[in-house]
Amino acid sequence: MPTPNEPHGGSLWDNRFFSIFLALVFGLATWIVVTVYIDPQGNVTRADVPINYSYSASTYINQGLDIVEKPDISGVTVRVEGNMTTIGSITASDIMVYPSYANVNGSGKVTLRLQAKIMNTSDFSGNIKCTVESPTSIDVVFDEVSEKTVPVTVDTSGVSVADNYMLNRTAAVPAEVTLRGPTSELDRISAVVAPITTDTALADTTTLPANLEMRDENGTVVTPLYTTMDNGSANVTLTIYQVRELPLSVNFIGIPKGFDVNSLKYTLSQQTLRVAGSARTISALDTLAVTDFDLAQEFELDRDYQRLIELPAGVVSLDGATNVTLSFDTDNLASTKLNVSNIRAINVPSNYELEILSSLVSGVELYGPADEIQDLSADSVLAQIDCQSLNLTAGQQTIPVTIQIPASSRIFATGSYTVQCEITVK
C-alpha cells in the first residue's frame, strides 16, 4: 500500500499516457524541424507565364510548316513544387511554358499540350517540378511555309515635279525582296511597293527612304500575320529630267572650203523635237542635229532622205520621233560637168616628193544656183590633194582629190574623184 506521502500510481515517467504525449510532442517538433529547416517541401503558383512557341519548333519547321494562328492568351498559370526555401523566390520569368509538338504532322488545327520547366537552373537547382494548371492545352493552326522573291515597285503618286521637269525613272535599293510565310498568305500578296511622297516640287534627281508595303492584286495594303520580308525599307532614287523643245538642224559634210551651207534650201519633216534629260545636259543645247549629210556623196536632184535624229547621251525624245525626212528645194538649182585640169597637192611631207601624173579629172559634176553654173568654167575649179590625211608610200598611187570652187561659196561638187601620182622618198 502506498504511504500517504507517496504519489498515487507511481512516477510520472512511468505513466503510460504521459509517455505517449511526450512522444507526440517530440515527433511534432522533429517534423517541424525537418520540414522548416532541413527539407521544407511545398508549392507556389505563378501566373502570367508567357508561352514560348519557338522551343522545339524544328519539329514542325522540318515539315515545311509554320504557325499561322495562335490563341489570344496573355499567360499561363503554373504550379511549382519543391523546397520552399528555393521555390519561394521563383518568378514567372524563370519559368518557360512551351507546347508539345509531338502530334503535329501536317496543316490544320492541332491541340497542343502545354508543358513547363525551370529555365534559370543556375539559381534554382534541385528537384523542382513544374505543372501547367491553366490552360493545360491550346489550339494552334499550322500551314505550309514557302518563299517568293518579289521586285520592289515604286509608287510615285505622291511625288510632285516642278514645271518643265519630269520624272524619268525610279530605282529602288534593294530592287527585290524575299517574302517568307504561309502559302495562304503569300498567295494574297501581288506586289511589294515603296510609296514615295514629297513636300516640294522636285527639280533635281534625289534619293528618298521608303517603308515597304505588301499589296494585293487590287493595290490594297496587306498586313499578314506571319509573313516576313528580308528588308522592310528601301532607298528610292527619283531621276528628274528637264524638258525642252529644241529646233532640229542638219550637219553638212563633204562640202568645199568656204561653202555657204545657208545657200542650201532644205526642209525637215519635223522642225522641233521635245526632249528631256539632266538639267546640265539639256540647258547646254541650242539645237538637235540629225545624222551628218555628206553633200558630195549623197546629194541627188529630186530625192528625199531619211535621217536619224542623233540625241546626246542621256537625252530622250518625248515625241517618239527617231528620224526625219530631209528635202531640198532644187527649183533654182542647176548642174554641169567639167573636166578639171587645175590639180594641186598641199601638205606634202618634207621627206617625200609627189608628182601628179594625171592631167585631167574628168566629168566633175557640179551643182549651184543656175546663174553661177551658167558662168562657171573649168579654170575656176580646183582638184586638190591633201596629203595630211594620206598614208604615202614610194611608187605610184591612186589618190583621192577634193573639188574646190574658190570663186563661189554656193557651188559644190558631187561624186568621188582620183588622180594618179608618183611618190618618191627624198
Side-chain angles (χ1 to χ4, degrees):
M1 291 296 291
T3 62
N5 297 323
E6 184 181 0
H8 181 75
S11 171
L12 182 62
W13 295 101
D14 293 332
N15 189 301
R16 184 170 61 89
F17 292 104
F18 178 74
S19 298
I20 292 173
F21 172 77
L22 194 63
L24 290 174
V25 170
F26 276 106
L28 178 61
T30 301
W31 177 82
I32 291 173
V33 170
V34 170
T35 55
V36 174
Y37 297 101
I38 299 177
D39 187 19
Q41 295 296 307
N43 66 80
V44 295
T45 300
R46 296 292 180 259
D48 297 326
V49 181
I51 301 174
N52 185 341
Y53 289 93
S54 62
Y55 185 72
S56 297
S58 59
T59 303
Y60 62 81
I61 291 175
N62 291 339
Q63 301 179 55
L65 301 173
D66 201 356
I67 296 174
V68 298
E69 187 176 329
K70 303 174 184 176
D72 185 15
I73 298 175
S74 59
V76 176
T77 300
V78 177
R79 185 176 74 254
V80 182
E81 300 175 78
N83 186 292
M84 287 298 296
T85 304
T86 302
I87 67 175
S89 58
I90 288 177
T91 65
S93 62
D94 300 315
I95 306 170
M96 181 176 69
V97 174
Y98 58 95
S100 172
Y101 298 116
N103 59 340
V104 177
N105 54 21
S107 302
K109 181 184 289 187
V110 183
T111 300
L112 304 177
R113 181 170 55 89
L114 293 178
Q115 299 174 302
K117 68 176 184 177
I118 296 295
M119 289 297 295
N120 188 358
T121 57
S122 60
D123 293 335
F124 305 104
S125 59
N127 187 19
I128 299 175
K129 179 182 178 182
C130 294
T131 304
V132 175
E133 288 193 332
S134 176
T136 57
S137 63
I138 55 173
D139 290 333
V140 174
V141 177
F142 292 86
D143 197 356
E144 292 183 358
V145 174
S146 58
E147 291 184 351
K148 71 176 181 180
T149 300
V150 182
V152 175
T153 303
V154 180
D155 180 359
T156 59
S157 58
V159 174
S160 176
V161 180
D163 291 341
N164 298 319
Y165 288 84
M166 62 170 284
L167 175 62
N168 175 253
R169 64 179 180 272
T170 62
V173 178
E176 60 184 21
V177 294
T178 299
L179 308 181
R180 186 181 188 278
T183 304
S184 57
E185 287 189 349
L186 291 180
D187 289 343
R188 294 178 55 206
I189 302 170
S190 298
V192 173
V193 179
I196 297 293
T197 302
T198 58
D199 297 329
T200 59
L202 299 179
D204 198 4
T205 297
T206 187
T207 299
L208 299 171
N211 293 320
L212 299 180
E213 298 177 347
M214 291 176 275
R215 298 186 183 181
D216 61 18
E217 60 182 4
N218 298 318
T220 304
V221 176
V222 176
T223 308
L225 293 176
Y226 305 105
T227 297
T228 59
M229 292 188 291
D230 59 356
N231 278 290
S233 61
N235 289 322
V236 177
T237 299
L238 306 171
T239 301
I240 306 298
Y241 274 3
Q242 184 180 2
V243 177
R244 287 186 66 190
E245 185 170 1
L246 294 171
L248 295 174
S249 62
V250 180
N251 183 32
F252 291 100
I253 62 174
I255 56 178
K257 183 179 179 180
F259 182 76
D260 180 13
V261 294
N262 293 323
S263 66
L264 296 172
K265 305 302 181 184
Y266 70 90
T267 59
L268 294 171
S269 58
Q270 185 167 328
Q271 300 299 315
T272 62
L273 186 69
R274 289 181 68 250
V275 293
S278 67
R280 176 179 298 180
T281 300
I282 289 292
S283 60
L285 297 176
D286 294 322
T287 62
L288 295 171
V290 301
T291 50
D292 293 343
F293 186 86
D294 192 332
L295 198 63
Q297 301 300 324
E298 298 184 73
F299 180 82
E300 295 178 12
L301 288 175
D302 302 321
R303 178 187 166 188
D304 293 334
Y305 306 86
Q306 293 296 316
R307 314 305 294 181
L308 289 174
I309 301 174
E310 292 187 327
L311 296 177
V315 176
V316 296
S317 169
L318 300 182
D319 295 337
T322 58
N323 58 71
V324 293
T325 300
L326 170 64
S327 303
F328 288 94
D329 180 0
T330 59
D331 288 345
N332 295 320
L333 209 62
S335 65
T336 186
K337 285 187 177 182
L338 298 174
N339 296 324
V340 177
S341 59
N342 188 7
I343 306 170
R344 184 177 64 182
I346 62 172
N347 297 319
V348 179
S350 59
N351 58 332
Y352 285 97
E353 287 186 355
L354 184 146
E355 181 184 359
I356 300 172
L357 302 179
S358 301
S359 59
L360 287 176
V361 179
S362 302
V364 176
E365 189 165 19
L366 298 123
Y367 290 88
D371 56 340
E372 292 193 25
I373 289 293
Q374 182 178 354
D375 297 334
L376 185 66
S377 66
D379 293 338
S380 301
V381 181
L382 171 66
Q384 183 171 277
I385 303 169
D386 189 349
C387 298
Q388 190 170 21
S389 58
L390 299 177
N391 182 20
L392 298 178
T393 57
Q396 288 195 9
Q397 280 186 252
T398 301
I399 299 177
V401 296
T402 60
I403 304 301
Q404 305 291 332
I405 306 93
S408 174
S409 62
R410 298 192 296 172
I411 297 176
F412 61 93
T414 61
S416 300
Y417 305 98
T418 60
V419 293
Q420 198 71 15
C421 298
E422 179 78 29
I423 310 298
T424 306
V425 178
K426 291 183 179 179

